[in-house]
Amino acid sequence: MLWQQGRQARGAMMFETAATPEAAIDRLDALYRAAREALRGDLQRFFETGQAPTPEERARYRYPLLRVTHEPYLSPMVKSQRGYAKFAVSGIHQTSVTQPAEFRAYLLDQLTPLVAEYGARIETGISHQEIPYPYALEGGDELGRGTVTASDLARHFPTPLLSLVGDEIADGTFELVEGEPRPLALFDAVRTDYSLRRLVHYTGTDWRCFQSWILLTNYHRYVDQFVRAGLAEIAAGTAQALVTPGGVRIDRAGLDADAVERVMSAPWHRYQMPAYHLVRPGGQGVTLVNIGVGPSNAKTVTDHLAVLRPHCWLMVGHCGGLRQTQVIGDYVLAHAYLRQDGILDELVPPDIPIPALAEVQVALQQAAAEVTGEVGEQLKRRLRTGTVVTQDDRNWELRWTQERRRINLSRAIAVDMESGTIAAQGYRLRVPYGTLLCVSDKPLHGEIKLPGAANAFYERAVSEHLRIGLAALDKLKEAGASIHSRKLRSFDEPPFR
């Protein structure tokens, strides 16, 4: 897919210059709501009367366009140490925008420095990207359809087209056309809307519930601990609510003896990767997603989480320990990955290094020390840093004669099926990432996973592990913008993170 936002925008309408970033977002929201309501109104009319929209009516179903211009003769290029909200080159940058009211905080965070430091000019208008009709509906069926079929709708209304959805900007494969605007953001409106609907499908929760700080796990016991921790925060007044799959919401008014049971009985089993949201003011809470097992799930969920532009995602799950000195319940802090998952080899080839992010590594180690109460050599006995092997085959042990040499060469200390994928996705999609795993078995040393093998120490480690992840996110939140490392940015980046 060619990146064609520049060509699409030409001639759509006159752009209006905004006096402030706030004014620009207000107008984006007004344009978006008008387009969405026009589409919804014409859909309802079609359901009721069969009257299709005219070409003039269909022309109203378009996403708003955000354009930001830096003119070097008016303001010099700034040498910012920040990892985002800066121009790699001067000129015109633009993107289509969806749900501007929901993304207001993110848009302000990106636009404000561009205006204050670079003297950038902000303009808003209407793009030529049509809003697919399913994205104008919330539940997908709130308008009376009667006998109208999907093929009937596709003849008269814009539909999701995969040819218009892609990651060319994030992957650096888009084609720049001389004289045309450059990308402003990694994801345009169509790509964002596509992922917002996928998140609802996979996690069983409204995408608006997702918080800016994300934990990913591969074991349901972490959900149990997260629910208990979340309800305790609500009782203490440090969180507003806990939202679970199926729309169950527990706030302070709903705290009672049955709160845990209501959460646990939520229909999480209907969803491939159920999500749980500990809601705090301003979306600064924590979302836990049980992604299950395997690199395919890990890539799928992070592909879609990335459009929310979270501040960080951390993997807190189980691994196999590869060293004799490790004990079940010990921790592994990954500082490198031997990626044998295969799923990202074309997008991020295995010979591309995935750097450890210092801010995340320090936060995880400090959090481990605080939660466990252990420091120095005592902490080192339970928490090892090293390389994690990420496999695409759960039964890799059956290839022992082939695998042993690579494990030896890599000096790996643990093996799992998700961490390398999640880190590579964070690197690829510019989301800070980190991994803290808990040893659940030692396949090279005869301690394999068997029913009932978990002991009391292991049970305690799950609770402790989850608390370390939450504490690390709190530390990263205190660090602010510095966690958006420049290691994640290329020499030719869009201004928005």
Side-chain angles (χ1 to χ4, degrees), residues 420-433:
T421 312
I422 289 166
Q425 281 284 82
Y427 176 82
R428 172 181 169 239
L429 303 173
R430 287 75 158 179
V431 177
Y433 52 86

Side-chain angles (χ1 to χ4, degrees), residues 21 36 50 82 251 289 293 298 336 457:
R36 187 170 176 270
R82 192 176 49 247
D251 56 21
V289 186
V293 175
F457 178 69

Side-chain angles (χ1 to χ4, degrees), residues 404-421:
R404 68 183 300 274
R405 183 170 183 271
R406 286 180 65 79
I407 290 173
N408 274 333
L409 287 174
S410 69
R411 310 297 193 265
I413 63 172
V415 58
D416 81 340
M417 298 186 68
E418 301 86 24
S419 294
T421 312

Side-chain angles (χ1 to χ4, degrees), residues 118-138:
Y118 292 86
R121 182 174 72 253
I122 307 174
E123 299 170 289
T124 55
I126 298 177
S127 77
H128 279 185
Q129 283 187 341
E130 292 185 308
I131 303 176
Y133 79 83
Y135 301 161
L137 309 176
E138 288 301 323

